[in-house]
Amino acid sequence: MTLRWRLFFLLPLIIAIYGTATAHEVRPAYLELREIEPSTYDILWKTPARGDLRLALNVILPDSCSTIAPHRTVPVEAAVIERWRTACEGGLPGQTIRIENLETSLTDVILRVEPLDGAASTLRLDGANPSVVIPAKQSGWEVAHSYFDLGVEHILLGFDHLLFVLCLLLLVRNVRRLIGAVTAFTVAHSITLAATTLGLVHLAIGPVEALIALSIAFLAAEIIRVHKGHAGATARWPWIASFGFGLLHGFGFASVLAEIGLPGEALPVALLFFNIGVEAGQLLFVGAVLLVMLLLRQFSARLPEWSWRAAPYTAGSIAMFWFIERTAGIIF
């Protein structure tokens, strides 16, 4: 076997390992500060975890705060929850809260402050901005902006969702059918995102993530069939498959909002602007892929005959790697 083919077969495994290694870290952490009496707060700190390992993120409160109830730590699915109580002289408005080690992480932190009087504030911290000053009052635009950014980042760092969209672009050559397929995917995942976030539907995320991986493998196989002249129903009516699989992907998007444990009154805002952010990120990705495909077309005559196989075989290999890993996580 030549070096070229060895690299071709190793590439899917390298990308799959990289993708699964980073997939868990991009889930957001959640910090809730609930004022139960003047200047006294119950704190909930939820950080992503994988097995017994959690992200090394720590909450640094102002010097005016002192712990008055011990920390209680409880592991939950794919996360660790800590609870404690603190008293902050003069309260938290105007004070700075920092997340230690956030600048070395790929994840975000959603911070929610619930005062005794007035509206709650929802803020977002990331590696570029690991600290924030607690406002006395927050505008609705600031809340919307936090969730919009979270939605954009989630889709652009959600390797499985992007890989599905990429396969869809490679499968559908007709512009009209492509627009219909992408629209059906958007409508479908918006439906399940809304239904799950509002508590109307609930599915265990483990089996859903395994099925999402299978949806990518299915499209990869269809790309190969079409190229060999065996176009099936999926190629003729791609919107049907994209709508059905889009319902699954919507459960995956909803799991992000569910995992950070947002309180009920924040869900409508989170749902709307997170979904808008997801759509904006998806459009950016589709535009970038179409541009690359247009550029590659200029060099298509120079590419070897087998080169068309690289994309579907790589996508299918990654998808099956994810499926095996996620299925093993459910079983064991």
Side-chain angles (χ1 to χ4, degrees):
M1 181 181 293
T2 65
L3 177 61
R4 181 187 71 181
W5 284 104
R6 288 177 183 175
L7 290 175
F8 177 75
F9 283 109
L10 283 175
L11 181 62
L13 181 59
I14 293 172
I15 299 177
I17 292 173
Y18 173 77
T20 52
T22 57
H24 291 275
E25 190 179 5
V26 298
R27 289 177 295 128
Y30 177 69
L31 176 61
E32 180 182 271
L33 307 172
R34 185 166 58 89
E35 191 175 20
I36 57 172
E37 57 185 61
S39 301
T40 301
Y41 299 85
D42 275 346
I43 300 178
L44 182 149
W45 174 228
K46 186 175 183 180
T47 51
R50 189 173 190 183
D52 295 330
L53 300 176
R54 62 176 284 271
L55 289 183
L57 303 177
N58 301 302
V59 179
I60 307 298
L61 296 173
D63 293 336
S64 60
C65 296
S66 57
T67 301
I68 59 176
H71 288 239
R72 292 171 292 140
T73 302
V74 178
V76 296
E77 183 180 1
V80 173
I81 293 179
E82 294 181 67
R83 299 177 185 269
W84 70 96
R85 181 169 297 174
T86 186
C88 299
E89 184 178 350
L92 285 176
Q95 299 295 316
T96 299
I97 289 179
R98 181 170 66 89
I99 305 299
E100 186 180 37
N101 300 322
L102 186 58
E103 59 271 17
T104 62
S105 169
L106 294 177
T107 195
D108 297 332
V109 175
I110 299 298
L111 168 60
R112 184 170 178 82
V113 183
E114 298 183 5
L116 277 176
D117 300 315
S121 298
T122 302
L123 307 165
R124 173 178 165 270
L125 298 86
D126 56 25
N129 300 283
S131 62
V132 67
V133 176
I134 305 300
K137 185 178 180 181
Q138 186 182 39
S139 68
W141 168 247
E142 289 173 320
V143 176
H145 187 269
S146 296
Y147 288 111
F148 176 84
D149 287 350
L150 187 63
V152 172
E153 288 190 6
H154 176 68
I155 185 64
L156 293 182
L157 294 175
F159 303 109
D160 48 0
H161 302 301
L162 292 184
L163 199 53
F164 180 89
V165 174
L166 175 61
C167 287
L168 200 59
L169 294 175
L170 294 174
L171 176 65
V172 185
R173 306 292 180 87
N174 182 280
V175 175
R176 182 178 178 182
R177 289 180 180 178
L178 178 61
I179 293 174
V182 173
T183 301
F185 180 69
T186 296
V187 171
H189 73 62
S190 298
I191 290 173
T192 46
L193 172 60
T196 305
T197 305
L198 296 175
L200 302 177
V201 180
H202 177 72
L203 289 179
I205 190 59
V208 168
E209 288 184 338
L211 290 174
I212 287 174
L214 273 185
S215 72
I216 299 168
F218 175 81
L219 287 189
E222 286 296 300
I223 294 171
I224 297 171
R225 283 173 51 83
V226 169
H227 196 277
K228 292 183 176 181
H230 304 293
T234 302
R236 291 195 295 269
W237 303 292
W239 66 270
I240 298 177
S242 62
F243 184 86
F245 291 136
L247 295 174
L248 285 174
H249 285 251
F251 287 113
F253 294 140
S255 69
V256 174
L257 293 180
E259 282 177 355
I260 62 177
L262 293 177
E265 66 271 17
L267 287 180
V269 174
L271 172 62
L272 176 60
F273 287 95
F274 180 83
N275 197 42
I276 292 174
V278 167
E279 298 313 316
Q282 183 173 288
L283 288 175
L284 286 174
F285 177 73
V286 169
V289 170
L290 291 179
L291 178 61
V292 171
M293 292 173 68
L294 182 63
L295 293 175
L296 286 177
R297 186 173 298 177
Q298 308 301 318
F299 304 96
S300 59
R302 304 178 186 177
L303 296 175
E305 187 278 332
W306 56 266
S307 61
W308 69 268
R309 297 182 176 89
Y313 276 94
T314 300
S317 299
I318 293 172
M320 291 310 300
F321 183 94
W322 282 337
F323 174 72
I324 294 170
E325 183 197 44
R326 294 170 182 182
T327 302
I330 298 171
I331 297 174
F332 303 106

